[in-house]
Amino acid sequence: MAANSSTGTPSWLGAVNDRAGLAVLLEQGPLTRNRICELVGVSKPTASQMMSRLLAAGFIEERGRTSGSAGRSAVVYAARTDRPLGVALDLDAFELRATVVDATGDERPVVRRALPHDPTERSPVDEVSRAIADASRAAGTDPDVVHSIVIGIPGYVDPGETGELFSETLPGWPVRGLRSILEGELGREVRIENDVNLAAVAERELGAGVDRDVFAVLWLGNGVGASFDVAGDLHRGSFGGAGEIGFLPLSVAASALDPSARTAQDLVGGRAVALLARAHGLDITGYHAAREALAEPDAEAVRSGVFHDLAERVAHVALPLLATLDPGRLVLAGPTASLGGDAFAAEVERGIRRISRWYPEVVATRVDRDPVLRGARIQLAARVREELLDTVASVSLA
């Protein structure tokens, strides 16, 4: 006995066409009916029916008229992207950054909020709720139509039943069931992603990973981490912890560069940068102060010396990545790497070739602003777009 199916019926074909028509408008921007016919591959009467249904359902709008070759004007249609929406967040121990995301992924205002240092004053539900409200206010959108959230964190959440949070920079956040807590309290779909993985998403779409089959990102900031992109897919590992190289113990050769260091984090993380800055004559305390001092225009000589010493250390830290993935390109990202720039990347490349058998191309990040937030926005835009197109299909079938 044949199963009941709407496949091939007029309503099903209409739903397929409506979805395709809206997808073209999201990808291409405002279009005339004739151009939609060409791109979707339907007749003019069919395109007219599609536009009528999408207009009636509120998925598109008329965006003026344009003159045709014979002087006759044509209606220009555009997708409405005011619903559904998402909010992308990126946070560390000190600051939260957020922005509204629509189905096109176009940039919206970024809001920033300082976070309390006292763990007793921290609440993930309150912090994310405020971020949704602040980002919506800045974008001039309705927070009630935010259905999805992507949060980039310095750490990761085990995908198993307990959903255990592994992070040293989110004081006051629950270590178990974080995603379920947020979804239950906020009433929205929540995805929690490692910050370096999101930076790799941004590199793949906008930066040094464009058109690369395989590349690795080595994140150098207060913390140290890595991400692996294989043909556009992120390798997260069975438990979500792939790339957490900051915890790795050092080789004998690496330990000789700093006998007090025990892990990769100790050797090239924020503590190491601050100590190197002091060793080169800067009277500072802490990573953030070191970064600010090294960024000063008159600190060029000191900056050169610090990054010369750091490059050899980074070359040693990169070896486990190269031995595991053997990427053709290694992207240095994060606040420290951005400060070092192309010259630092070139010195790391020379160091790797000097101490090992590997010879990847080492480049500085090409995403110069909010890489984690931009990666979250790219990932979330795909989810919002899929939700919108699924809604179109379901309405057309109703």
Side-chain angles (χ1 to χ4, degrees):
M1 183 176 179
N4 290 330
S5 174
S6 61
T7 302
T9 65
S11 60
W12 180 84
L13 292 173
V16 171
N17 287 335
D18 291 354
R19 181 184 173 102
L22 182 58
V24 164
L25 289 171
L26 289 171
E27 292 167 1
Q28 302 289 330
L31 299 169
T32 63
R33 183 195 63 173
N34 287 348
R35 184 60 179 147
I36 293 169
C37 290
E38 295 172 2
L39 293 172
V40 179
V42 296
S43 66
K44 291 181 180 178
T46 297
S48 294
Q49 293 171 3
M50 289 162 51
M51 296 302 100
S52 294
R53 288 193 296 266
L54 291 171
L55 279 168
F59 291 112
I60 66 172
E61 61 187 2
E62 294 184 359
R63 190 73 63 80
R65 305 181 74 89
T66 185
S67 297
S69 57
R72 297 176 61 184
S73 64
V75 175
V76 176
Y77 299 98
R80 287 186 58 183
T81 56
D82 53 343
R83 54 185 170 84
L85 296 173
V87 169
L89 294 88
D90 160 33
L91 74 161
D92 51 36
F94 306 102
E95 185 184 64
L96 181 150
R97 299 158 287 275
T99 186
V100 167
V101 179
D102 64 29
T104 67
D106 291 342
E107 291 195 23
R108 305 276 190 130
V110 175
V111 296
R112 301 173 188 272
R113 177 186 287 272
L115 295 172
H117 294 178
D118 185 348
T120 63
E121 298 179 13
R122 298 292 300 272
S123 164
V125 173
D126 290 345
E127 288 165 17
V128 175
S129 295
R130 285 196 298 268
I132 294 171
D134 291 348
S136 299
R137 189 180 306 111
T141 57
D142 182 356
D144 290 338
V145 299
V146 173
H147 295 178
S148 306
I149 303 163
V150 170
I151 307 173
I153 66 168
Y156 66 98
V157 173
D158 190 313
E161 291 183 5
T162 62
E164 188 168 357
L165 170 67
F166 292 90
S167 177
E168 297 180 346
T169 53
L170 296 176
W173 283 45
V175 296
R176 283 183 170 80
L178 174 60
R179 181 181 176 185
S180 60
I181 290 170
L182 288 172
E183 289 189 331
E185 293 291 329
L186 300 174
R188 296 171 168 97
E189 180 184 73
V190 176
R191 183 179 185 88
I192 302 169
E193 182 67 270
N194 172 259
D195 55 356
V196 188
N197 283 344
L198 291 175
V201 170
E203 294 291 349
R204 163 64 68 184
E205 294 293 323
L206 307 168
V210 174
D211 297 328
R212 302 295 299 194
D213 289 337
V214 178
F215 70 93
V217 172
L218 178 56
W219 182 272
L220 301 170
N222 196 35
V224 179
S227 182
F228 314 115
D229 183 298
V230 181
D233 289 329
L234 292 174
H235 176 69
R236 296 179 176 84
S238 298
F239 307 105
E244 294 292 327
I245 64 168
F247 302 107
L248 289 179
L250 299 174
S251 66
V252 173
S255 294
L257 299 174
D258 181 357
S260 68
R262 295 290 178 267
T263 66
Q265 171 72 31
D266 296 337
L267 192 66
V268 299
R271 164 192 171 276
V273 173
L275 291 176
L276 284 172
R278 288 185 65 86
H280 281 269
L282 292 181
D283 185 17
I284 53 87
T285 301
Y287 172 63
H288 293 285
R291 226 175 66 209
E292 290 177 1
L294 290 169
E296 292 293 330
D298 60 357
E300 183 177 353
V302 174
R303 184 166 61 246
S304 177
V306 169
F307 279 99
H308 172 77
D309 292 349
L310 187 63
E312 185 174 5
R313 297 178 177 211
V314 172
H316 282 276
V317 167
L319 294 188
L321 305 181
L322 305 180
T324 303
L325 191 64
D326 194 18
R329 173 170 286 182
L330 178 64
V331 182
L332 303 184
T336 302
S338 295
L339 186 58
D342 293 332
F344 176 53
E347 198 156 1
V348 171
E349 180 176 309
R350 289 192 294 270
I352 290 172
R353 296 186 180 208
R354 185 175 63 252
I355 66 174
S356 77
R357 66 180 66 185
W358 287 279
Y359 48 95
E361 178 189 19
V362 181
V363 300
T365 177
R366 298 292 182 260
V367 183
D368 58 0
R369 177 171 49 86
D370 293 327
V372 177
L373 188 63
R374 296 178 84 174
R377 195 187 75 222
I378 291 167
Q379 192 177 89
L380 184 54
R383 175 70 190 95
V384 173
R385 181 177 182 274
E386 194 64 25
E387 181 186 355
L388 178 59
L389 294 176
D390 285 347
T391 302
V392 169
S394 64
V395 168
S396 298
L397 284 169

